[in-house]
Amino acid sequence: MNLFEVPQPGVAIDGSDDRYPVRRIYCIGRNYGAHAREMGHDPDREPPFYFMKPADAVVENGSSVAYPSRTADFHHEIELVVAIGKRGSNIEKNQALNYVYGYAVGIDFTRRDLQQEAKKLGRPWDTAKGFDESAPISAIHTVTDIGHPASGRIWLAVNDEVRQNGDLSELIWGVAESVAELSTLFRLEPGDLLFTGTPAGVGPVLAGDRITGGIEGIDEIAITIR
Ligand code: MN
């Protein structure tokens, strides 16, 4: 008998009744050149860097998300999400795809005003990135079903108006490199998700907005803001 009931965060798995139990959520910053430039950085000179969200920040596809507190600039970032399926540290790049269980479409919701303030003051990004309901995600599609998509349109629309429109082939650090590099910093385990960064076109959303997005060959996602 446990003192408290603490639910295990999880993500649907396409074609299965099983759930993918979420252990950690890693995210990469500035992984598409055009987005790095829109945020005022030169993408060519920066190695990948990582930040985290709590596991229970995941939100089921088709849900609504509450407009978060303490922000007036709540931004969408559509991203390819990698689901890790095997334990590994210091993984070689040419082995890294063997550690991937599947892929999903996610949104890295961001309190942009708090992030800009944190950058200016040299403070951590937790309040800007790791808040409640900040990680909506589609079902995971297994590598067995869809392989390892290296190209394909990635897009996001707000109230049917397309705001982000890129291609997975534009990733500065591809999935294999990103997983290999991350595994030099943390021991990867099944249940670890990696949000791989967003293409250009990030911007604000408001209560009442309907956000749709997708990645060709993977899935689509729909979230409303309440
Ligand atoms: Mn992001």
Side-chain angles (χ1 to χ4, degrees), residues 67 72-76 110 158 163 201-206 209 211:
Y67 193 95
D73 199 21
F74 180 42
H75 275 211
H76 56 77
T110 302
V158 179
R163 298 271 185 89
V202 301
V205 291
L206 300 170
D209 283 346
I211 303 170

Side-chain angles (χ1 to χ4, degrees), residues 28 77 79 108 129:
I28 305 181
E77 298 189 355
E79 310 205 356
D108 167 17
K129 290 290 198 176

Side-chain angles (χ1 to χ4, degrees), residues 27-31 35 51 53 76-79 107-110 112 115 125 129 195-199 202:
C27 306
I28 305 181
R30 291 174 215 138
N31 203 15
H35 173 62
F51 58 90
K53 293 173 184 271
H76 56 77
E77 298 189 355
I78 189 79
E79 310 205 356
I107 301 174
D108 167 17
F109 274 134
T110 302
R112 191 71 71 201
Q115 186 194 32
W125 285 9
K129 290 290 198 176
F195 281 60
T196 57
T198 198
V202 301

Side-chain angles (χ1 to χ4, degrees), residues 164-221:
Q164 294 188 266
N165 199 5
D167 195 284
L168 293 185
S169 60
E170 298 160 7
L171 280 166
I172 296 171
W173 295 83
V175 171
E177 289 170 301
S178 300
V179 168
E181 175 80 9
L182 181 63
S183 78
T184 68
L185 293 162
F186 303 96
R187 184 183 68 240
L188 302 185
E189 297 278 356
D192 290 347
L193 298 174
L194 173 58
F195 281 60
T196 57
T198 198
V202 301
V205 291
L206 300 170
D209 283 346
R210 176 180 154 79
I211 303 170
T212 50
I215 302 175
E216 186 186 346
I218 302 180
D219 206 344
E220 296 193 352
I221 191 167

Side-chain angles (χ1 to χ4, degrees), residues 150-163:
S151 64
R153 182 181 179 231
I154 175 169
W155 62 277
L156 180 141
V158 179
N159 303 325
D160 294 324
E161 182 185 316
V162 175
R163 298 271 185 89

